[in-house]
Amino acid sequence: MSDKNKRAIVVGASRGIGLGLVRELLNQHWQVIATIRDIDQVSTGLNQLLSEYPDRLELTELDLSYVQTADRLLSKYHEKSIDLLLVSAGILGPKHQRVEQCTPNEIANLFWVNSIAPVTIARTLLPLMKEKSVIAFMSSRMGSVALNDDGSMELYRASKAALNSITRGFAINEAIPAQIGVLNLHPGWVQTEMGGSHAPINVKESTTGIVRVVEDFIGKNEQQFVDFQGHEITW
């Protein structure tokens, strides 16, 4: 695949890991379609990248609260024209992180954004994906049931475990039969608004690793749960 033909969609590109992924993909000569919630409120970081890469970066609006906004991408881009879909958006959920304290609205919002919307968007955009392309979901090591050895952050953990479970069905029944690989990615504990300033990994380290893992995975017709260094994670 020549550099000029590599095209990616990054969902949730305004800041943090999503913005870092856009930057790293552009550094690696990809064409990038970055989605944000409100096209009239473009972050400083994205504006800077637009000025640096006017020919290879474009923005479009996609609101995870209204996943039907993904439909506009179907009318804007040709079928089988995308090599990579990276769904990066996510939230931490309520500060208390306790099941007995959460409200129905809190749990609905957390699971919608972290578990339901990502797969809904991937299903919507499936016709855009080339054979031997990759759909990557931003999961977390905390979504591993086997590795839950301290029981902390139980609501966030549950939302990522749900994402892993739902993407398994999506991979088996839809993506893999269409010759599309699926990655569930753990970005590491990263210095973002969600991860905090004391996290051991910066955005550059995480996103450089993720892009390398994704590029190495292109053409593999399977699903893997791995971290940003390519190490497999137990489900």
Side-chain angles (χ1 to χ4, degrees), residues 57-110:
L57 174 61
E58 56 184 300
L59 303 185
T60 191
E61 196 170 77
L62 196 164
D63 188 342
L64 265 68
S65 297
Y66 304 96
V67 290
Q68 61 268 28
T69 56
D71 291 342
R72 70 190 64 183
L73 276 76
L74 292 178
S75 59
K76 191 173 182 180
Y77 302 102
H78 297 297
E79 287 191 5
K80 299 188 183 301
S81 64
I82 303 299
D83 300 283
L84 170 63
L85 170 62
L86 261 166
V87 186
S88 178
I91 59 174
L92 192 60
K95 290 183 179 179
H96 57 73
Q97 287 290 316
R98 299 281 298 186
V99 295
E100 76 277 9
Q101 295 180 32
C102 69
T103 66
N105 283 341
E106 284 177 336
I107 201 69
N109 187 47
L110 175 63

Side-chain angles (χ1 to χ4, degrees), residues 1-17:
M1 186 191 310
S2 65
D3 288 344
K4 68 178 181 179
N5 291 327
K6 296 191 300 184
R7 176 176 281 183
I9 297 174
V10 179
V11 177
S14 291
R15 62 184 187 275
I17 293 173

Side-chain angles (χ1 to χ4, degrees), residues 78-187:
H78 297 297
E79 287 191 5
K80 299 188 183 301
S81 64
I82 303 299
D83 300 283
L84 170 63
L85 170 62
L86 261 166
V87 186
S88 178
I91 59 174
L92 192 60
K95 290 183 179 179
H96 57 73
Q97 287 290 316
R98 299 281 298 186
V99 295
E100 76 277 9
Q101 295 180 32
C102 69
T103 66
N105 283 341
E106 284 177 336
I107 201 69
N109 187 47
L110 175 63
F111 275 71
W112 180 264
V113 173
N114 285 3
S115 316
I116 306 302
V119 180
T120 302
I121 288 168
R123 281 192 169 133
T124 300
L125 300 183
L126 195 63
L128 298 182
M129 305 305 297
K130 296 178 180 178
E131 291 186 0
K132 299 185 178 181
S133 63
V134 176
I135 296 176
F137 298 95
M138 200 58 64
S139 184
S140 170
R141 184 183 185 277
M142 286 191 171
S144 167
V145 175
L147 297 179
N148 183 0
D149 52 8
D150 65 12
S152 64
M153 302 293 293
E154 59 191 26
L155 293 180
Y156 179 75
R157 282 182 185 275
S159 73
K160 290 300 186 179
L163 173 68
N164 286 350
S165 179
I166 298 168
T167 59
R168 186 62 180 153
F170 169 72
I172 291 172
N173 295 317
E174 294 160 76
I176 292 173
Q179 305 297 308
I180 298 165
V182 177
L183 281 173
N184 291 52
L185 295 166
H186 169 54

